[in-house]
Amino acid sequence: MSSGQLRLVMRSGPTPGKVFELNKEIATIGREASADIVIADPEVSRAHARLVTKPGGVIIEDLGSTNGTFVNKQRITAPRAISAGDELTLGESIVLGVETEGVAATVVAASAKVPPAPRTAAAAPQAAPVPPPMASAAPPVEKKGGGRRMLWIGCGCLLLLACVVAVGIGWYIDSNNLYCAWLGVGCF
């Protein structure tokens, strides 16, 4: 691996410490087995995001995921360049660090879908994975579908406002005897 090649290290999620090498020009991230980087978590959409490696760097693009893709805690709505030190968040709690240097962890190439070989007693011990920094917790994100709830609340408020206006107009007409004047008859 060249020193400029990026890789993703899972800081929080189903397999903390897991490393995903970005050794393909285009790699997809998703929950489905057909993705290049598979993250088996309900917060991750089947086809969540796409990483495109170009000579100038790596670009990430959200693929219409349900829970969103964030770069440094900002939701992305268009393709965005990433670099070492950035933090990718999928949904609310899947955090991937963008790195160029190694972390003692299980390495899974984005192009290979083969699980790591089981460790034997003769295998050399590995260093413990580096825990994620405390400040890397992702901010809470409103789940999709919250817009529908807000629409119902807005409609209810609008209906209530219409009722208040109707009662106010009725009171005004009644208190000023405008109804009788409009009909051309005396009310008193």
Side-chain angles (χ1 to χ4, degrees), residues 35-103:
D36 298 304
I37 298 173
V38 178
I39 301 176
D41 190 279
E43 288 187 27
V44 178
S45 294
R46 289 182 190 100
H48 197 98
R50 175 179 21 239
L51 296 161
V52 180
T53 303
K54 297 186 176 200
V58 177
I59 308 255
I60 187 165
E61 175 183 10
D62 185 81
L63 297 175
S65 66
T66 302
N67 295 319
T69 302
F70 301 79
V71 176
N72 298 327
K73 299 181 181 164
Q74 292 183 336
R75 189 171 193 153
I76 61 170
T77 57
R80 178 169 169 180
I82 59 172
S83 57
D86 284 344
E87 188 175 83
L88 308 180
T89 307
L90 310 176
E92 291 183 19
S93 61
I94 309 300
V95 179
L96 302 167
V98 181
E99 299 182 359
T100 55
E101 295 185 13
V103 171

